[in-house]
Amino acid sequence: MSDTPARLLALLSLLQTPREWPGSELAERLGVTTRTIRRDIGRLRDLGYPVEATMGAVGGYRLVAGTAMPPLLLDDEEAVAIAVGLRTAARHPVAGIEEASVRALAKLEQVLPSRLRRRVGTLNTATVPMVPAGGPSVDPQDLAVLAAAVANRERLRFAYQAADGAGSRRLVEPYRLVVAERRWYLVAYDDDRDDWRIFRVDRIRQPHPTGMRNAPRELPGEDAAAYVTSTLYSLAPTYSAVATLHMPAAEAITRLGEASGVVEPIDERTCRLRDHTDTLEWLAFRLAMLGCEFEVHGPPELVEYLAALGARVTRAASPVARAAQAADGIACDTPGPDS
Amino acid sequence: MSDTPARLLALLSLLQTPREWPGSELAERLGVTTRTIRRDIGRLRDLGYPVEATMGAVGGYRLVAGTAMPPLLLDDEEAVAIAVGLRTAARHPVAGIEEASVRALAKLEQVLPSRLRRRVGTLNTATVPMVPAGGPSVDPQDLAVLAAAVANRERLRFAYQAADGAGSRRLVEPYRLVVAERRWYLVAYDDDRDDWRIFRVDRIRQPHPTGMRNAPRELPGEDAAAYVTSTLYSLAPTYSAVATLHMPAAEAITRLGEASGVVEPIDERTCRLRDHTDTLEWLAFRLAMLGCEFEVHGPPELVEYLAALGARVTRAASPVARAAQAADGIACDTPGPDS
DNA sequence: ACGTCCAGGACAGGATCTGACCTACATCGG
DNA sequence: CCGATGTAGGTCAGATCCTGTCCTGGACGT
């Protein structure tokens, strides 16, 4: 009970609550004298955690922003909230911090009590997927496993379903997780095939670490990201889309996000968007969500998709089309296979 | 040199890395004997942190899931990733954990070093907003301030713009943050008006805590959530939407998320959706994103909105609309048709 | 002016921590 | 099957550190 390190941790936890704590209250709560509390505060300050104290009658201690991150002490609900947030972030990677995001998720999932894990799972499925069509989506849990294996330099075994549908079992030395074109890829050295391979994470099933450590291995020659993008561009069919938006360029940029595509102004009220994508649905919905008039110049696949979408939405709103459908008994196809 | 508490924290930080640490390596890194490491491990276990050890030649220590959350020790990038994730979560509240999510954000923002805060800000604006139309959106930073004030029971001052556009300055005792209909509301006691009020967070400007604490105050009679929803339903105009989806009910539920609306099966391939919403755009896009045929039976406003959307999308894909531009080619420097 | 709060020095006694050395047990690889 | 390497844990002596109890001083609000 009266263990000094334990008390320091508890103190850190109390100070993280966004309120001020008078020394006397802290002393009472931790079962020590106020003098000891002052000493503990001093110790925390020596450790680099900036504890701010406001003098005076209504004063107290509180932990403020410093130069280093203090250990975050979360209660159950906060931990769940963070886990859910990170999982959705893993589904919608944000440029520049994808890897850190997954790393944080791996760190959290490693120590997340099982009862909380269950809650995260149910909440996660309850969340609106927010991906437009029924595209393949990665399991954040799998992603965390992969990230842990990368960090641990641990050999990994998993089942992989190639693009042509053929399944295979792999034993690889994971090297890096990268995001390109809104998709997760695992760069790894395939021990069976004795060469570097890039795996789409959404096609990886049941990954589990083998416990075998492998010596760090370097990609031949080039940089990892360059290697991946060069391979991907030759591998995945991407479309180059061009559209005219009837919206000021500045507004389009803020609405679309900076990371996506190139927006160049035409005049004050219109601009041109050039974007590369391999998921037409995603781009189509982003455009439709803008709320302004726009014209799509290409590729033909995107035009076609938009035409179908427009027709479907119009049918949904039109009683005439509804009557025709009712007569024909048109059934809806299952959402198409992945692009 | 480095005293015991600091070493324990460092040890906890190392063990959170998803890899195994042999005791000898930990000893070397922390500058103590392996015996001391073993003792520290024992101390951590006494504190409730489950440190797992694998015996044998390739053994080592690692922190595993236990019954309580250990303090999370994050590096800079991970902290940024979590902050970004929470901010987007604040924009898209997930049922049941909205409050915890904001609380975690407040806790993190309180101790986030300023350089990291800047990175979070820029990344956040770069993120795709993902809200369909140009609806008002809350500033996560403000939300964190409000959450801190609620937790701290601290009086709050802010400028408020009422629904009729009239601006006012308020001094309130914050009581609770709630989400209803995908919007954030602050329930507070208005000190100037001497009564309970509900404020829409997106209409609050420049909130800042006054430092004055207020005694905890209880809502009269009813429960907070009940009070809010009863007030809101009499306040905000909500639409009751009914639609038929050509999609199995089970799939519709997983695609739409459980929290939204009531889905009841009609037969194996179709189902009926009943939903309440005050933002037609949101519902319209959720329906369009489903990818299946659907018909909207009401309200008329939704039908109208969908018709306009369908027409716009069709225009975007229609060669007729493009004909004027196509005549001149689609070069960027071509001035668009005059407004 | 007064009360309340933080800041920090000095000191003595006692609790606690460390390192060294020991044995026992689990696991892997030859 | 044996040895190497890892964890698990006991014991002991000495040094270290920590705590509670004094104390003075400064800051702030009433």
Side-chain angles (χ1 to χ4, degrees):
Chain A
M1 182 59 185
S2 60
D3 194 12
T4 313
R7 196 185 55 238
L8 274 187
L9 248 55
L11 186 57
L12 214 45
S13 152
L14 288 178
L15 287 178
Q16 243 160 59
T17 310
R19 57 165 286 197
E20 296 217 331
W21 296 89
S24 57
E25 190 172 349
L26 292 175
E28 188 189 359
R29 246 175 132 107
L30 299 176
V32 289
T33 339
T34 59
R35 183 67 188 91
T36 301
I37 290 295
R38 275 203 291 282
R39 264 193 281 254
D40 286 351
I41 297 287
R43 252 191 294 251
L44 287 182
R45 285 178 179 150
D46 284 347
L47 285 177
Y49 305 125
V51 180
E52 196 190 63
T54 56
M55 313 280 254
V58 295
Y61 296 101
R62 77 193 308 174
L63 196 58
V64 298
T67 55
M69 275 295 299
L72 266 193
L73 283 132
L74 308 166
D75 62 31
D76 287 1
E77 297 187 334
E78 291 163 354
V80 170
I82 288 184
V84 171
L86 285 177
R87 284 167 92 124
T88 64
R91 278 208 239 282
H92 308 289
V94 175
I97 54 165
E98 320 92 355
E99 199 184 337
S101 173
V102 176
R103 226 171 42 228
L105 182 61
K107 196 174 261 189
L108 206 156
E109 297 246 343
Q110 188 193 349
V111 297
L112 200 66
S114 57
R115 63 175 193 291
L116 298 186
R117 190 163 320 195
R118 203 162 28 243
R119 281 179 55 193
V120 170
T122 59
L123 276 172
N124 206 50
T125 58
T127 306
V128 187
M130 281 299 282
V131 285
S137 69
V138 302
D139 181 1
Q141 186 112 22
D142 287 352
L143 216 45
V145 170
L146 298 186
V150 167
N152 208 356
R153 285 197 284 281
E154 212 169 349
R155 282 200 181 77
L156 202 62
R157 202 182 290 283
F158 56 82
Y160 191 69
Q161 183 165 22
D164 56 10
S168 55
R169 293 204 57 81
R170 305 291 181 124
L171 177 66
V172 305
E173 304 173 14
Y175 176 69
R176 202 69 46 99
L177 271 174
V178 295
V179 167
E181 298 286 331
R182 306 190 47 78
R183 281 229 173 80
W184 285 97
Y185 296 90
L186 173 69
V187 185
Y189 188 86
D190 192 317
D191 279 342
D192 295 329
R193 285 153 187 79
D194 272 337
D195 199 6
W196 289 92
R197 289 294 146 91
I198 298 180
F199 301 96
R200 264 179 58 173
V201 174
D202 56 285
R203 294 200 176 126
I204 289 178
R205 297 273 172 272
Q206 300 151 9
H208 53 90
T210 60
M212 295 184 291
R213 297 276 269 285
N214 62 275
R217 199 187 279 270
E218 277 308 312
L219 270 178
E222 335 134 66
D223 171 51
Y227 171 61
V228 172
T229 50
S230 69
T231 310
L232 286 184
Y233 272 116
S234 64
L235 195 109
T238 58
Y239 301 103
S240 296
V242 181
T244 301
L245 313 179
H246 291 249
M247 171 182 271
E251 194 182 342
I253 289 175
T254 59
R255 294 290 302 279
L256 285 170
E258 291 169 357
S260 60
V262 180
V263 176
E264 23 184 63
I266 296 178
D267 54 37
E268 293 109 40
R269 328 191 57 154
T270 57
C271 59
R272 173 143 302 154
L273 169 71
R274 297 171 189 281
D275 198 1
H276 289 255
T277 181
D278 64 340
T279 56
L280 293 175
E281 301 85 358
W282 174 246
L283 184 56
F285 278 101
R286 291 239 317 285
L287 289 173
M289 277 205 283
L290 281 176
C292 72
E293 291 290 328
F294 64 99
E295 295 114 34
V296 172
H297 308 298
E301 291 89 347
L302 179 57
V303 174
E304 202 173 310
Y305 183 84
L306 277 171
L309 173 63
R312 202 170 68 227
V313 172
T314 305
R315 270 198 304 278
S318 128
V320 181
R322 276 213 300 275
Q325 277 191 11
D328 261 353
I330 292 178
C332 117
D333 341 273
T334 45
D338 68 20
S339 50
Chain B
M1 181 72 187
S2 60
D3 49 344
T4 316
R7 196 186 54 239
L8 272 186
L9 246 53
L11 185 58
L12 214 44
S13 155
L14 287 178
L15 287 178
Q16 250 164 48
T17 310
R19 57 164 288 197
E20 294 217 333
W21 296 88
S24 56
E25 191 173 347
L26 291 174
E28 188 188 0
R29 251 176 127 108
L30 300 176
V32 290
T33 342
T34 59
R35 183 66 188 91
T36 301
I37 292 295
R38 274 202 292 281
R39 263 193 281 252
D40 287 350
I41 297 286
R43 246 191 301 247
L44 288 183
R45 283 177 180 152
D46 284 347
L47 286 177
Y49 305 125
V51 180
E52 195 189 63
T54 56
M55 311 282 257
V58 294
Y61 296 101
R62 76 191 309 172
L63 195 59
V64 299
T67 56
M69 275 295 300
L72 266 193
L73 284 131
L74 308 166
D75 62 30
D76 288 1
E77 297 187 333
E78 291 162 355
V80 170
I82 288 183
V84 170
L86 285 177
R87 284 167 92 126
T88 64
R91 278 208 239 282
H92 308 289
V94 176
I97 55 166
E98 320 92 355
E99 198 183 342
S101 172
V102 177
R103 225 170 46 226
L105 183 61
K107 197 175 259 189
L108 206 157
E109 297 246 344
Q110 187 193 349
V111 296
L112 200 65
S114 57
R115 64 188 143 80
L116 297 185
R117 190 164 319 191
R118 203 162 26 245
R119 282 179 53 193
V120 170
T122 58
L123 275 173
N124 207 50
T125 58
T127 306
V128 187
M130 281 300 281
V131 285
S137 69
V138 302
D139 181 2
Q141 186 112 26
D142 288 352
L143 216 45
V145 170
L146 299 186
V150 168
N152 206 357
R153 286 198 282 279
E154 210 170 351
R155 282 200 180 77
L156 202 62
R157 200 183 290 283
F158 56 82
Y160 191 69
Q161 185 164 21
D164 57 9
S168 55
R169 295 204 57 81
R170 305 290 180 124
L171 177 65
V172 305
E173 304 173 14
Y175 177 68
R176 201 68 46 98
L177 272 175
V178 295
V179 167
E181 298 285 332
R182 306 191 46 79
R183 281 226 174 82
W184 285 98
Y185 296 90
L186 173 69
V187 184
Y189 188 86
D190 192 318
D191 279 341
D192 296 329
R193 285 153 189 80
D194 272 336
D195 198 6
W196 289 93
R197 290 294 147 91
I198 298 180
F199 302 97
R200 262 178 60 175
V201 174
D202 56 285
R203 293 198 177 128
I204 289 178
R205 298 271 172 271
Q206 300 151 12
H208 52 91
T210 60
M212 295 182 294
R213 297 275 271 285
N214 61 277
R217 201 187 278 270
E218 277 309 313
L219 268 179
E222 333 134 68
D223 170 51
Y227 172 61
V228 172
T229 49
S230 69
T231 310
L232 286 184
Y233 271 115
S234 65
L235 195 107
T238 56
Y239 302 103
S240 296
V242 181
T244 302
L245 311 180
H246 291 249
M247 172 181 270
E251 193 181 344
I253 288 174
T254 60
R255 294 289 302 277
L256 285 170
E258 289 169 359
S260 59
V262 180
V263 176
E264 23 182 64
I266 296 177
D267 54 37
E268 291 113 37
R269 327 193 58 155
T270 58
C271 57
R272 173 143 301 156
L273 170 72
R274 298 171 191 280
D275 199 359
H276 291 256
T277 180
D278 65 339
T279 55
L280 293 175
E281 302 85 357
W282 174 245
L283 184 56
F285 278 101
R286 292 239 316 287
L287 289 173
M289 278 203 284
L290 281 177
C292 74
E293 292 290 330
F294 64 99
E295 296 113 37
V296 172
H297 307 296
E301 290 90 347
L302 179 57
V303 175
E304 201 173 311
Y305 183 85
L306 277 171
L309 173 64
R312 202 169 71 228
V313 172
T314 304
R315 271 199 302 282
S318 127
V320 181
R322 285 207 310 271
Q325 288 194 3
D328 252 349
I330 54 170
C332 311
D333 51 337
T334 307
D338 197 16
S339 56

